mmCIF file with all atom_site columns, all heavy atoms in Angstrom:
data_model
loop_
_atom_site.group_PDB
_atom_site.id
_atom_site.type_symbol
_atom_site.label_atom_id
_atom_site.label_alt_id
_atom_site.label_comp_id
_atom_site.label_asym_id
_atom_site.label_entity_id
_atom_site.label_seq_id
_atom_site.pdbx_PDB_ins_code
_atom_site.Cartn_x
_atom_site.Cartn_y
_atom_site.Cartn_z
_atom_site.occupancy
_atom_site.B_iso_or_equiv
_atom_site.pdbx_formal_charge
_atom_site.auth_seq_id
_atom_site.auth_comp_id
_atom_site.auth_asym_id
_atom_site.auth_atom_id
_atom_site.pdbx_PDB_model_num
ATOM 1   N N   . GLY B 1 17 ? -11.501 25.683 23.792 1.00 96.00 ? 17 GLY B N   1
ATOM 2   C CA  . GLY B 1 17 ? -11.775 25.378 25.199 1.00 96.00 ? 17 GLY B CA  1
ATOM 3   C C   . GLY B 1 17 ? -11.851 26.656 26.021 1.00 96.00 ? 17 GLY B C   1
ATOM 4   O O   . GLY B 1 17 ? -12.752 26.827 26.843 1.00 96.00 ? 17 GLY B O   1
ATOM 5   N N   . VAL B 1 18 ? -10.927 27.572 25.755 1.00 95.00 ? 18 VAL B N   1
ATOM 6   C CA  . VAL B 1 18 ? -10.927 28.862 26.466 1.00 95.00 ? 18 VAL B CA  1
ATOM 7   C C   . VAL B 1 18 ? -12.229 29.606 26.173 1.00 95.00 ? 18 VAL B C   1
ATOM 8   O O   . VAL B 1 18 ? -12.881 30.134 27.089 1.00 95.00 ? 18 VAL B O   1
ATOM 9   C CB  . VAL B 1 18 ? -9.706  29.718 26.041 1.00 95.00 ? 18 VAL B CB  1
ATOM 10  C CG1 . VAL B 1 18 ? -9.749  31.085 26.710 1.00 95.00 ? 18 VAL B CG1 1
ATOM 11  C CG2 . VAL B 1 18 ? -8.395  29.001 26.359 1.00 95.00 ? 18 VAL B CG2 1
ATOM 12  N N   . ALA B 1 19 ? -12.631 29.630 24.893 1.00 97.00 ? 19 ALA B N   1
ATOM 13  C CA  . ALA B 1 19 ? -13.854 30.346 24.511 1.00 97.00 ? 19 ALA B CA  1
ATOM 14  C C   . ALA B 1 19 ? -15.065 29.756 25.224 1.00 97.00 ? 19 ALA B C   1
ATOM 15  O O   . ALA B 1 19 ? -15.903 30.484 25.773 1.00 97.00 ? 19 ALA B O   1
ATOM 16  C CB  . ALA B 1 19 ? -14.053 30.279 22.995 1.00 97.00 ? 19 ALA B CB  1
ATOM 17  N N   . ALA B 1 20 ? -15.156 28.432 25.243 1.00 97.00 ? 20 ALA B N   1
ATOM 18  C CA  . ALA B 1 20 ? -16.304 27.774 25.893 1.00 97.00 ? 20 ALA B CA  1
ATOM 19  C C   . ALA B 1 20 ? -16.277 28.023 27.399 1.00 97.00 ? 20 ALA B C   1
ATOM 20  O O   . ALA B 1 20 ? -17.310 28.287 28.014 1.00 97.00 ? 20 ALA B O   1
ATOM 21  C CB  . ALA B 1 20 ? -16.281 26.276 25.599 1.00 97.00 ? 20 ALA B CB  1
ATOM 22  N N   . ASP B 1 21 ? -15.075 27.959 27.995 1.00 96.00 ? 21 ASP B N   1
ATOM 23  C CA  . ASP B 1 21 ? -14.964 28.069 29.454 1.00 96.00 ? 21 ASP B CA  1
ATOM 24  C C   . ASP B 1 21 ? -15.197 29.497 29.936 1.00 96.00 ? 21 ASP B C   1
ATOM 25  O O   . ASP B 1 21 ? -15.473 29.716 31.118 1.00 96.00 ? 21 ASP B O   1
ATOM 26  C CB  . ASP B 1 21 ? -13.576 27.593 29.929 1.00 96.00 ? 21 ASP B CB  1
ATOM 27  C CG  . ASP B 1 21 ? -13.325 26.123 29.593 1.00 96.00 ? 21 ASP B CG  1
ATOM 28  O OD1 . ASP B 1 21 ? -14.301 25.428 29.234 1.00 96.00 ? 21 ASP B OD1 1
ATOM 29  O OD2 . ASP B 1 21 ? -12.162 25.675 29.663 1.00 96.00 ? 21 ASP B OD2 1
ATOM 30  N N   . THR B 1 22 ? -15.062 30.485 29.039 1.00 96.00 ? 22 THR B N   1
ATOM 31  C CA  . THR B 1 22 ? -15.223 31.880 29.460 1.00 96.00 ? 22 THR B CA  1
ATOM 32  C C   . THR B 1 22 ? -16.466 32.524 28.844 1.00 96.00 ? 22 THR B C   1
ATOM 33  O O   . THR B 1 22 ? -16.620 33.750 28.862 1.00 96.00 ? 22 THR B O   1
ATOM 34  C CB  . THR B 1 22 ? -13.979 32.723 29.081 1.00 96.00 ? 22 THR B CB  1
ATOM 35  O OG1 . THR B 1 22 ? -13.740 32.574 27.675 1.00 96.00 ? 22 THR B OG1 1
ATOM 36  C CG2 . THR B 1 22 ? -12.738 32.257 29.844 1.00 96.00 ? 22 THR B CG2 1
ATOM 37  N N   . GLY B 1 23 ? -17.348 31.682 28.281 1.00 97.00 ? 23 GLY B N   1
ATOM 38  C CA  . GLY B 1 23 ? -18.623 32.186 27.778 1.00 97.00 ? 23 GLY B CA  1
ATOM 39  C C   . GLY B 1 23 ? -18.525 33.026 26.510 1.00 97.00 ? 23 GLY B C   1
ATOM 40  O O   . GLY B 1 23 ? -19.407 33.821 26.214 1.00 97.00 ? 23 GLY B O   1
ATOM 41  N N   . LYS B 1 24 ? -17.464 32.833 25.734 1.00 98.00 ? 24 LYS B N   1
ATOM 42  C CA  . LYS B 1 24 ? -17.323 33.607 24.489 1.00 98.00 ? 24 LYS B CA  1
ATOM 43  C C   . LYS B 1 24 ? -17.716 32.798 23.257 1.00 98.00 ? 24 LYS B C   1
ATOM 44  O O   . LYS B 1 24 ? -17.493 33.230 22.123 1.00 98.00 ? 24 LYS B O   1
ATOM 45  C CB  . LYS B 1 24 ? -15.860 34.058 24.332 1.00 98.00 ? 24 LYS B CB  1
ATOM 46  C CG  . LYS B 1 24 ? -15.434 35.080 25.370 1.00 98.00 ? 24 LYS B CG  1
ATOM 47  C CD  . LYS B 1 24 ? -13.987 35.490 25.132 1.00 98.00 ? 24 LYS B CD  1
ATOM 48  C CE  . LYS B 1 24 ? -13.531 36.449 26.228 1.00 98.00 ? 24 LYS B CE  1
ATOM 49  N NZ  . LYS B 1 24 ? -12.074 36.471 26.353 1.00 98.00 ? 24 LYS B NZ  1
ATOM 50  N N   . ASP B 1 25 ? -18.276 31.611 23.480 1.00 97.00 ? 25 ASP B N   1
ATOM 51  C CA  . ASP B 1 25 ? -18.472 30.694 22.356 1.00 97.00 ? 25 ASP B CA  1
ATOM 52  C C   . ASP B 1 25 ? -19.535 31.157 21.367 1.00 97.00 ? 25 ASP B C   1
ATOM 53  O O   . ASP B 1 25 ? -19.634 30.591 20.278 1.00 97.00 ? 25 ASP B O   1
ATOM 54  C CB  . ASP B 1 25 ? -18.772 29.273 22.867 1.00 97.00 ? 25 ASP B CB  1
ATOM 55  C CG  . ASP B 1 25 ? -19.828 29.234 23.943 1.00 97.00 ? 25 ASP B CG  1
ATOM 56  O OD1 . ASP B 1 25 ? -19.894 30.165 24.767 1.00 97.00 ? 25 ASP B OD1 1
ATOM 57  O OD2 . ASP B 1 25 ? -20.612 28.273 23.966 1.00 97.00 ? 25 ASP B OD2 1
ATOM 58  N N   . ARG B 1 26 ? -20.335 32.155 21.714 1.00 98.00 ? 26 ARG B N   1
ATOM 59  C CA  . ARG B 1 26 ? -21.330 32.639 20.745 1.00 98.00 ? 26 ARG B CA  1
ATOM 60  C C   . ARG B 1 26 ? -21.047 34.079 20.337 1.00 98.00 ? 26 ARG B C   1
ATOM 61  O O   . ARG B 1 26 ? -21.928 34.759 19.813 1.00 98.00 ? 26 ARG B O   1
ATOM 62  C CB  . ARG B 1 26 ? -22.744 32.504 21.330 1.00 98.00 ? 26 ARG B CB  1
ATOM 63  C CG  . ARG B 1 26 ? -23.122 31.068 21.675 1.00 98.00 ? 26 ARG B CG  1
ATOM 64  C CD  . ARG B 1 26 ? -23.276 30.188 20.427 1.00 98.00 ? 26 ARG B CD  1
ATOM 65  N NE  . ARG B 1 26 ? -23.155 28.773 20.793 1.00 98.00 ? 26 ARG B NE  1
ATOM 66  C CZ  . ARG B 1 26 ? -23.474 27.757 19.986 1.00 98.00 ? 26 ARG B CZ  1
ATOM 67  N NH1 . ARG B 1 26 ? -23.945 27.982 18.775 1.00 98.00 ? 26 ARG B NH1 1
ATOM 68  N NH2 . ARG B 1 26 ? -23.309 26.520 20.383 1.00 98.00 ? 26 ARG B NH2 1
ATOM 69  N N   . ASP B 1 27 ? -19.841 34.559 20.604 1.00 98.00 ? 27 ASP B N   1
ATOM 70  C CA  . ASP B 1 27 ? -19.546 35.938 20.187 1.00 98.00 ? 27 ASP B CA  1
ATOM 71  C C   . ASP B 1 27 ? -19.246 35.975 18.687 1.00 98.00 ? 27 ASP B C   1
ATOM 72  O O   . ASP B 1 27 ? -19.310 34.959 17.991 1.00 98.00 ? 27 ASP B O   1
ATOM 73  C CB  . ASP B 1 27 ? -18.423 36.551 21.052 1.00 98.00 ? 27 ASP B CB  1
ATOM 74  C CG  . ASP B 1 27 ? -17.024 36.014 20.725 1.00 98.00 ? 27 ASP B CG  1
ATOM 75  O OD1 . ASP B 1 27 ? -16.853 35.296 19.709 1.00 98.00 ? 27 ASP B OD1 1
ATOM 76  O OD2 . ASP B 1 27 ? -16.095 36.321 21.497 1.00 98.00 ? 27 ASP B OD2 1
ATOM 77  N N   . ALA B 1 28 ? -18.942 37.156 18.190 1.00 97.00 ? 28 ALA B N   1
ATOM 78  C CA  . ALA B 1 28 ? -18.805 37.324 16.736 1.00 97.00 ? 28 ALA B CA  1
ATOM 79  C C   . ALA B 1 28 ? -17.679 36.462 16.166 1.00 97.00 ? 28 ALA B C   1
ATOM 80  O O   . ALA B 1 28 ? -17.774 35.963 15.045 1.00 97.00 ? 28 ALA B O   1
ATOM 81  C CB  . ALA B 1 28 ? -18.559 38.797 16.416 1.00 97.00 ? 28 ALA B CB  1
ATOM 82  N N   . TYR B 1 29 ? -16.611 36.275 16.937 1.00 97.00 ? 29 TYR B N   1
ATOM 83  C CA  . TYR B 1 29 ? -15.470 35.511 16.433 1.00 97.00 ? 29 TYR B CA  1
ATOM 84  C C   . TYR B 1 29 ? -15.729 34.002 16.498 1.00 97.00 ? 29 TYR B C   1
ATOM 85  O O   . TYR B 1 29 ? -15.489 33.277 15.528 1.00 97.00 ? 29 TYR B O   1
ATOM 86  C CB  . TYR B 1 29 ? -14.217 35.866 17.245 1.00 97.00 ? 29 TYR B CB  1
ATOM 87  C CG  . TYR B 1 29 ? -12.940 35.247 16.706 1.00 97.00 ? 29 TYR B CG  1
ATOM 88  C CD1 . TYR B 1 29 ? -12.230 35.858 15.680 1.00 97.00 ? 29 TYR B CD1 1
ATOM 89  C CD2 . TYR B 1 29 ? -12.447 34.049 17.228 1.00 97.00 ? 29 TYR B CD2 1
ATOM 90  C CE1 . TYR B 1 29 ? -11.058 35.294 15.180 1.00 97.00 ? 29 TYR B CE1 1
ATOM 91  C CE2 . TYR B 1 29 ? -11.278 33.478 16.736 1.00 97.00 ? 29 TYR B CE2 1
ATOM 92  C CZ  . TYR B 1 29 ? -10.585 34.107 15.713 1.00 97.00 ? 29 TYR B CZ  1
ATOM 93  O OH  . TYR B 1 29 ? -9.441  33.547 15.229 1.00 97.00 ? 29 TYR B OH  1
ATOM 94  N N   . PHE B 1 30 ? -16.206 33.534 17.670 1.00 98.00 ? 30 PHE B N   1
ATOM 95  C CA  . PHE B 1 30 ? -16.347 32.086 17.880 1.00 98.00 ? 30 PHE B CA  1
ATOM 96  C C   . PHE B 1 30 ? -17.708 31.533 17.452 1.00 98.00 ? 30 PHE B C   1
ATOM 97  O O   . PHE B 1 30 ? -17.836 30.334 17.209 1.00 98.00 ? 30 PHE B O   1
ATOM 98  C CB  . PHE B 1 30 ? -16.092 31.734 19.348 1.00 98.00 ? 30 PHE B CB  1
ATOM 99  C CG  . PHE B 1 30 ? -14.666 31.938 19.764 1.00 98.00 ? 30 PHE B CG  1
ATOM 100 C CD1 . PHE B 1 30 ? -14.283 33.033 20.537 1.00 98.00 ? 30 PHE B CD1 1
ATOM 101 C CD2 . PHE B 1 30 ? -13.679 31.043 19.362 1.00 98.00 ? 30 PHE B CD2 1
ATOM 102 C CE1 . PHE B 1 30 ? -12.959 33.227 20.905 1.00 98.00 ? 30 PHE B CE1 1
ATOM 103 C CE2 . PHE B 1 30 ? -12.353 31.232 19.725 1.00 98.00 ? 30 PHE B CE2 1
ATOM 104 C CZ  . PHE B 1 30 ? -11.989 32.326 20.500 1.00 98.00 ? 30 PHE B CZ  1
ATOM 105 N N   . GLY B 1 31 ? -18.724 32.418 17.392 1.00 98.00 ? 31 GLY B N   1
ATOM 106 C CA  . GLY B 1 31 ? -20.075 31.962 17.039 1.00 98.00 ? 31 GLY B CA  1
ATOM 107 C C   . GLY B 1 31 ? -20.119 31.101 15.789 1.00 98.00 ? 31 GLY B C   1
ATOM 108 O O   . GLY B 1 31 ? -20.656 29.985 15.812 1.00 98.00 ? 31 GLY B O   1
ATOM 109 N N   . PRO B 1 32 ? -19.530 31.574 14.681 1.00 98.00 ? 32 PRO B N   1
ATOM 110 C CA  . PRO B 1 32 ? -19.588 30.779 13.444 1.00 98.00 ? 32 PRO B CA  1
ATOM 111 C C   . PRO B 1 32 ? -18.903 29.415 13.564 1.00 98.00 ? 32 PRO B C   1
ATOM 112 O O   . PRO B 1 32 ? -19.245 28.492 12.839 1.00 98.00 ? 32 PRO B O   1
ATOM 113 C CB  . PRO B 1 32 ? -18.844 31.660 12.432 1.00 98.00 ? 32 PRO B CB  1
ATOM 114 C CG  . PRO B 1 32 ? -18.896 33.039 12.996 1.00 98.00 ? 32 PRO B CG  1
ATOM 115 C CD  . PRO B 1 32 ? -18.903 32.881 14.487 1.00 98.00 ? 32 PRO B CD  1
#
Side-chain angles (χ1 to χ4, degrees):
Chain B
V18 177
D21 298 347
T22 55
K24 292 181 184 158
D25 48 325
R26 300 292 160 168
D27 74 10
Y29 187 84
F30 292 104

